[in-house]
Amino acid sequence: MRISKDDKSTSVYNVIMNKSFMVFISIIAGIGAFSACTPTQQPVQSESINTLVPIEETASQEADLIAVPTATELPYLIYPLDFSKGTAFCDEEPAKSPFSLSCAEGALTISQTESRRKTDIYLLREEPLSSGRFSLTADVTSHPVDIEKLDQNQFGFYFTKPDGTSHVLRVQGQYINFEEWKITDGVEVVSAYNKTYTPALYSAGHINNFRLTCGWDVCDLFINDTLAARLPFGTGNGISALGFFTASAWDQQFGSITLTNLEAIELPGGLPELQHFYLMDDLSDDHGIFSQMGLSGAFSEFEEDGFHFSPVIPYGYYAAKSGPSLADISVSVVINMDINPEMKATQYAGVVCRSSLEGKYMAVLRADGTYTIFRDTIQRPFALLAQGQLEGIQPGRSNNTIRLDCIEDTISLVINNKLVESFTDSRYGLRYGRWGLFTKAGGAPYSDAIIFSDFSIEEIR
């Protein structure tokens, strides 16, 4: 089994999802299926082939009648759109708009006009409504200007609250991020979370299915039936509109976006809030945390004692990261490697939190019995935040548990159940992202250099 160098991963196999929501969906689906299965009545046999004998209704016959339930219509907020002219999503753009829009054959297609100027541009379409919690689904296909180059098209979904604040999912290529907007004469991005890589997204030219399920406090984003991210905001006291948008930066080119199968339903008021995300894996076998793509320059094998993972390139770095993307988490793992406090060592192993395009936090245990916490960003790669010598660590081959807590702007490191570092850090705004494992090889790497086991990740709310 190999781990992808490109950060690719699949969703965690044991995400704890809300059972009430699943029952709610199952009931709705079951009603529709049952209503189509009306029982067939048997023909009445007369006593004589030439004589029709009237049959009197009796109490027992009435008791035997089967009541066929009527199919209940889903509580639609946005009905499955036919994208015909006259609907809110198919209103024509003004003559001087930088975007052109067309609706035909059940699809909405948006592209930029030839007269577009070099400015940031947005196109917004929304449905005014009043709702609490909801689930929105849609299929989107992005066609870049040049299929051989990076997809620069931007699009996404948003919901607006009565106070005018909008919460937004933005997609570009295989990256997603979440923003807060103020929409007046234009779009003002008030704040934005970090852009995170999402391997669940198919490449340009392929249909991607999105499902955004929002409760009072959080929203879950499913992409192609994979939990890709949990948004750290929800509907609060309710929403006043649901919408779809496209965007393009002044120095980028926009090809076209096709939207199909858009619909939204209101979730029942008694639905419990989505539970915390939690995962635990002993790493003795491939349970789908990481992808099965080939890994260049690293050992990566699941065995009975754990996940053997170490770069084979001398002094090389490597990480195996996974999702869904989260904000506040606690990530922990048991590390087995040779410890020698008497020798200076470059080899280390540890964990990662809030990994995004903008950077990540890393906490590692070194082979010389010391620990280090880094903040790795574009502005300052591998910035040293804390380091120290571990007391009482056993020399030789041993197991040591390392846990990194990233909660709001507080970063804490716990090793062997002892808090060794805790501090605040808000520089460069690393507050959201993926998580996983991290290693650096020594001078003579080998397959059993580092063994990870008992990996866990817990969302903190």
Side-chain angles (χ1 to χ4, degrees):
M1 188 278 178
R2 298 290 176 184
I3 302 302
S4 171
K5 183 175 181 181
D6 292 328
D7 254 4
K8 296 188 176 178
S9 65
T10 59
S11 67
V12 178
Y13 71 99
N14 59 351
V15 177
I16 299 179
M17 298 304 300
N18 188 287
K19 294 183 180 179
S20 298
F21 174 68
M22 305 308 291
V23 171
F24 168 69
I25 296 300
S26 299
I27 291 174
I28 292 176
I31 290 174
F34 183 63
S35 63
C37 301
T38 306
T40 304
Q41 295 181 353
Q42 297 297 324
V44 177
Q45 300 294 331
S46 62
E47 294 180 352
S48 168
I49 192 170
N50 297 319
T51 305
L52 295 178
V53 179
I55 298 178
E56 296 181 0
E57 293 183 355
T58 64
S60 60
Q61 287 175 328
E62 292 178 356
D64 292 338
L65 293 177
I66 299 176
V68 179
T70 303
T72 302
E73 183 182 17
L74 289 174
Y76 282 113
L77 297 171
I78 298 178
Y79 284 83
L81 297 182
D82 58 4
F83 292 114
S84 58
K85 291 184 178 180
T87 61
F89 282 78
C90 291
D91 288 341
E92 294 185 3
E93 280 289 278
K96 295 183 179 181
S97 171
F99 278 117
S100 63
L101 179 151
S102 65
C103 289
E105 299 180 356
L108 166 64
T109 301
I110 302 169
S111 58
Q112 74 174 30
T113 62
E114 295 181 357
S115 59
R116 177 199 171 174
R117 297 181 179 180
K118 291 292 184 180
T119 58
D120 294 349
I121 56 174
Y122 284 88
L123 180 144
L124 282 70
R125 288 290 185 272
E126 66 179 40
E127 185 79 23
L129 49 85
S130 178
S131 177
R133 292 173 287 186
F134 70 89
S135 182
L136 178 150
T137 61
D139 293 330
V140 182
T141 309
S142 178
H143 299 277
V145 173
D146 188 342
I147 197 67
E148 302 297 328
K149 295 183 179 180
L150 182 68
D151 186 2
Q152 296 181 333
N153 296 344
Q154 299 179 46
F155 64 91
F157 304 92
Y158 64 93
F159 61 87
T160 301
K161 296 184 176 181
D163 65 0
T165 301
S166 296
H167 291 300
V168 183
L169 159 67
R170 187 190 294 257
V171 182
Q172 183 175 16
Q174 286 187 283
Y175 284 85
I176 60 172
N177 74 300
F178 307 104
E179 302 172 350
E180 180 182 320
W181 287 0
K182 284 292 185 182
I183 304 174
T184 52
D185 294 335
V187 172
E188 178 188 355
V189 179
V190 177
S191 64
Y193 283 78
N194 306 110
K195 295 180 180 178
T196 59
Y197 175 75
T198 307
L201 278 167
Y202 299 143
S203 58
H206 295 85
I207 298 174
N208 282 291
N209 175 261
F210 294 87
R211 174 158 52 93
L212 186 63
T213 300
C214 291
W216 303 126
D217 300 323
V218 296
C219 295
D220 277 352
L221 172 64
F222 292 84
I223 300 177
N224 299 316
D225 295 323
T226 297
L227 179 62
R230 171 161 284 181
L231 290 67
F233 49 73
T235 60
N237 294 325
I239 63 173
S240 58
L242 281 171
F244 176 77
F245 78 95
T246 57
S248 183
W250 69 271
D251 58 346
Q252 295 179 341
Q253 289 185 306
F254 190 93
S256 67
I257 292 291
T258 301
L259 173 67
T260 56
N261 300 320
L262 172 65
E263 63 181 65
I265 61 171
E266 185 170 21
L267 299 181
L271 185 70
E273 192 59 22
L274 301 173
Q275 297 186 24
H276 290 47
F277 175 88
Y278 179 75
L279 171 145
M280 187 170 184
D281 192 338
D282 62 7
L283 299 180
S284 63
D285 201 356
D286 180 9
H287 296 131
I289 296 179
F290 307 112
S291 71
Q292 299 184 12
M293 303 296 292
L295 173 66
S296 173
F299 295 110
S300 55
E301 297 291 343
F302 290 100
E303 299 186 14
E304 290 184 0
D305 57 348
F307 183 44
H308 295 234
F309 181 43
S310 178
V312 298
I313 301 172
Y315 309 109
Y317 304 91
Y318 230 97
K321 285 171 279 187
S322 189
S325 297
L326 300 166
D328 297 337
I329 66 163
S330 177
V331 56
S332 173
V333 75
V334 173
I335 298 169
N336 181 281
M337 66 178 179
D338 282 320
I339 301 293
N340 187 351
E342 303 301 322
M343 286 186 62
K344 186 176 181 179
T346 59
Q347 177 177 292
Y348 57 65
V351 290
V352 175
C353 75
R354 296 179 177 174
S355 177
S356 66
L357 187 64
E358 289 79 12
K360 56 184 172 290
Y361 289 106
M362 300 171 291
V364 299
L365 174 63
R366 295 180 178 271
D368 60 5
T370 63
Y371 63 85
T372 306
I373 303 176
F374 298 104
R375 184 209 315 112
D376 184 30
T377 60
I378 298 173
Q379 298 88 341
R380 290 194 61 189
F382 282 85
L384 178 63
L385 300 182
Q387 63 180 349
Q389 181 74 44
L390 288 174
E391 298 180 2
I393 191 166
Q394 297 297 318
R397 194 88 192 188
S398 61
N399 287 336
N400 293 279
T401 302
I402 183 171
R403 191 186 89 207
L404 180 63
D405 296 341
C406 300
I407 304 171
E408 295 183 345
D409 61 354
T410 300
I411 308 299
S412 302
L413 177 60
V414 177
I415 298 181
N416 295 330
N417 296 319
K418 181 180 179 180
L419 179 66
V420 297
E421 292 287 350
S422 184
F423 55 87
T424 60
D425 179 68
S426 57
R427 193 172 186 183
Y428 304 123
L430 299 182
R431 55 178 181 157
Y432 191 80
R434 302 167 73 214
W435 35 268
L437 308 174
F438 190 78
T439 69
K440 180 178 182 289
Y446 57 98
S447 59
D448 296 329
I450 302 164
I451 303 173
F452 294 101
S453 61
D454 296 331
F455 180 77
S456 68
I457 173 75
E458 180 179 4
E459 179 190 16
I460 307 298
R461 274 200 263 145

